[in-house]
Amino acid sequence: MRTRTGDDRRRWRPDEHGSVVAEFAIALPAVTVVLALGVAALAGASRQVRLQDAVADAARLSARGEPASRVIGAVVAAVGEASVEISPRGDLVCVTATAPAMLGLRVSASGCALAGGL
Protein backbone atom coordinates (compact mmCIF):
# COMPACT_ATOMS: atom_id res chain seq x y z
CA MET A 1 0.00 0.00 0.00
CA ARG A 2 1.27 3.41 -0.94
CA THR A 3 0.99 6.38 1.40
CA ARG A 4 0.84 10.00 0.38
CA THR A 5 3.32 12.42 1.71
CA GLY A 6 3.66 16.15 1.33
CA ASP A 7 6.41 15.65 -1.24
CA ASP A 8 4.21 13.51 -3.45
CA ARG A 9 2.93 16.43 -5.53
CA ARG A 10 1.71 16.04 -9.02
CA ARG A 11 4.47 16.79 -11.43
CA TRP A 12 4.00 17.97 -14.98
CA ARG A 13 4.92 15.46 -17.53
CA PRO A 14 6.80 16.73 -20.57
CA ASP A 15 3.87 15.96 -22.87
CA GLU A 16 1.49 18.19 -20.83
CA HIS A 17 3.38 21.44 -21.28
CA GLY A 18 1.23 23.94 -23.14
CA SER A 19 -2.04 22.07 -22.63
CA VAL A 20 -3.54 24.96 -20.67
CA VAL A 21 -2.62 27.37 -23.45
CA ALA A 22 -4.16 25.07 -26.04
CA GLU A 23 -7.39 24.75 -24.04
CA PHE A 24 -7.51 28.52 -23.60
CA ALA A 25 -6.93 29.06 -27.32
CA ILE A 26 -9.91 26.83 -28.07
CA ALA A 27 -12.19 28.31 -25.41
CA LEU A 28 -11.45 32.00 -26.05
CA PRO A 29 -13.15 32.25 -29.49
CA ALA A 30 -16.22 30.45 -28.16
CA VAL A 31 -16.48 32.82 -25.20
CA THR A 32 -15.98 35.80 -27.50
CA VAL A 33 -18.78 34.65 -29.83
CA VAL A 34 -21.17 34.11 -26.91
CA LEU A 35 -20.39 37.57 -25.51
CA ALA A 36 -20.83 39.19 -28.93
CA LEU A 37 -24.21 37.50 -29.41
CA GLY A 38 -25.27 38.60 -25.92
CA VAL A 39 -24.33 42.21 -26.64
CA ALA A 40 -26.18 42.06 -29.97
CA ALA A 41 -29.29 40.66 -28.27
CA LEU A 42 -29.25 43.41 -25.66
CA ALA A 43 -28.77 46.08 -28.32
CA GLY A 44 -31.68 44.68 -30.33
CA ALA A 45 -33.92 44.59 -27.26
CA SER A 46 -32.96 48.15 -26.40
CA ARG A 47 -33.81 49.30 -29.91
CA GLN A 48 -37.14 47.46 -29.74
CA VAL A 49 -38.07 49.25 -26.50
CA ARG A 50 -37.09 52.66 -27.91
CA LEU A 51 -39.08 51.97 -31.07
CA GLN A 52 -42.16 50.88 -29.11
CA ASP A 53 -42.05 54.04 -26.97
CA ALA A 54 -41.58 56.24 -30.03
CA VAL A 55 -44.49 54.59 -31.85
CA ALA A 56 -46.80 55.03 -28.86
CA ASP A 57 -45.91 58.73 -28.67
CA ALA A 58 -46.33 59.10 -32.44
CA ALA A 59 -49.77 57.47 -32.33
CA ARG A 60 -50.89 59.97 -29.71
CA LEU A 61 -49.49 62.85 -31.78
CA SER A 62 -51.29 61.62 -34.88
CA ALA A 63 -54.55 61.11 -32.96
CA ARG A 64 -54.40 64.76 -31.84
CA GLY A 65 -54.22 65.86 -35.47
CA GLU A 66 -50.51 66.67 -35.77
CA PRO A 67 -49.14 66.63 -39.34
CA ALA A 68 -47.66 63.38 -40.65
CA SER A 69 -44.20 64.94 -40.95
CA ARG A 70 -44.16 65.66 -37.20
CA VAL A 71 -45.37 62.14 -36.39
CA ILE A 72 -42.70 60.55 -38.59
CA GLY A 73 -40.09 62.93 -37.22
CA ALA A 74 -40.90 61.87 -33.66
CA VAL A 75 -40.18 58.22 -34.48
CA VAL A 76 -37.07 58.93 -36.56
CA ALA A 77 -35.68 61.19 -33.82
CA ALA A 78 -35.92 58.33 -31.32
CA VAL A 79 -34.79 55.53 -33.62
CA GLY A 80 -32.79 56.50 -36.68
CA GLU A 81 -33.42 54.74 -39.99
CA ALA A 82 -36.96 53.79 -38.96
CA SER A 83 -39.65 53.49 -41.61
CA VAL A 84 -43.05 54.68 -40.41
CA GLU A 85 -46.59 53.99 -41.60
CA ILE A 86 -49.65 55.86 -40.32
CA SER A 87 -53.05 54.29 -40.87
CA PRO A 88 -56.57 54.96 -39.55
CA ARG A 89 -58.48 51.94 -38.26
CA GLY A 90 -62.01 52.92 -37.41
CA ASP A 91 -61.88 55.25 -34.41
CA LEU A 92 -58.17 54.59 -33.95
CA VAL A 93 -55.06 56.01 -35.55
CA CYS A 94 -52.28 53.43 -35.68
CA VAL A 95 -48.59 53.95 -36.28
CA THR A 96 -46.37 51.06 -37.30
CA ALA A 97 -42.60 51.35 -37.60
CA THR A 98 -39.72 49.06 -38.45
CA ALA A 99 -36.01 49.68 -37.96
CA PRO A 100 -32.84 47.71 -38.58
CA ALA A 101 -31.21 46.03 -35.61
CA MET A 102 -27.87 44.29 -35.28
CA LEU A 103 -26.87 41.25 -37.33
CA GLY A 104 -29.20 42.18 -40.20
CA LEU A 105 -32.39 41.70 -38.20
CA ARG A 106 -35.26 44.19 -38.11
CA VAL A 107 -37.45 45.17 -35.19
CA SER A 108 -40.99 46.44 -35.55
CA ALA A 109 -43.54 48.04 -33.29
CA SER A 110 -47.11 49.23 -33.58
CA GLY A 111 -49.17 51.56 -31.46
CA CYS A 112 -52.72 52.93 -31.68
CA ALA A 113 -54.52 55.86 -30.10
CA LEU A 114 -58.14 57.03 -30.12
CA ALA A 115 -58.57 59.63 -32.87
CA GLY A 116 -59.41 63.11 -31.65
CA GLY A 117 -57.87 62.45 -28.26
CA LEU A 118 -56.20 65.08 -26.13
Side-chain angles (χ1 to χ4, degrees):
M1 184 159 148
R2 186 172 178 206
T3 60
R4 285 187 86 158
T5 62
D7 293 334
D8 193 24
R9 296 182 192 145
R10 179 178 172 183
R11 299 192 186 275
W12 289 97
R13 290 183 229 139
D15 60 340
E16 290 182 352
H17 286 288
S19 64
V20 172
V21 174
E23 291 170 1
F24 183 72
I26 291 172
L28 185 62
V31 170
T32 304
V33 167
V34 168
L35 286 175
L37 289 174
V39 168
L42 287 174
S46 172
R47 183 161 264 220
Q48 173 68 38
V49 168
R50 281 186 288 145
L51 187 64
Q52 184 63 51
D53 287 344
V55 165
D57 291 342
R60 286 190 292 272
L61 285 173
S62 183
R64 285 193 317 218
E66 296 287 337
S69 61
R70 177 146 160 62
V71 174
I72 294 169
V75 175
V76 172
V79 179
E81 302 177 8
S83 60
V84 182
E85 178 185 324
I86 304 167
S87 60
R89 295 183 191 163
D91 290 342
L92 300 175
V93 176
C94 296
V95 177
T96 303
T98 61
M102 295 188 92
L103 303 174
L105 300 175
R106 294 188 67 79
V107 292
S108 64
S110 180
C112 297
L114 187 60
L118 297 174

